[in-house]
Amino acid sequence: LFPYTTLFRSDLFKQKFGISLLEYITMAKMERAKMLLREESLKNYEIAFKLGFQDNEYFSKVFKKHTGMSLTEFRQKGTAGG
């Protein structure tokens, strides 16, 4: 259906939005992670799995890189009303 290569489409995405498609997807996943972390009934590994991460440790690392907080710090901030 698409005559363009994946690389070409990714380049077009980056030109239009200023970030790579992978960065955009990761940012979207981290926003969803924040929402899910506010639901105290979900465990970290359950959230990781819901977002497509096979490894909870990697999910934790990516989350901290994008938010500046660990999963625990974010949960504590969320329950404190912040």
Side-chain angles (χ1 to χ4, degrees):
L1 295 171
F2 283 97
Y4 306 108
T5 66
T6 301
L7 181 59
F8 181 74
R9 287 182 291 201
S10 293
D11 286 344
L12 286 176
F13 188 93
K14 187 165 188 167
Q15 286 175 0
K16 184 166 178 92
F17 298 105
I19 60 172
S20 73
L21 182 57
L22 181 58
E23 289 172 299
Y24 176 81
I25 291 168
T26 302
M27 285 173 44
K29 285 182 177 185
M30 294 303 103
E31 289 304 312
R32 179 75 175 134
K34 290 177 190 178
M35 291 172 50
L36 293 171
L37 283 165
R38 290 183 185 106
E39 298 176 14
E40 293 182 36
S41 62
L42 293 172
K43 307 269 189 228
N44 292 346
Y45 70 87
E46 293 171 319
I47 294 170
F49 183 75
K50 278 182 172 251
L51 297 174
F53 289 90
Q54 299 297 316
D55 181 350
N56 186 50
E57 293 298 320
Y58 180 67
F59 166 62
S60 298
K61 183 178 180 180
V62 172
F63 186 86
K64 185 160 188 169
K65 178 182 175 184
H66 282 269
T67 65
M69 289 183 273
S70 70
L71 296 166
T72 302
E73 291 168 334
F74 185 85
R75 280 190 192 268
Q76 289 171 345
K77 177 186 171 213
T79 57

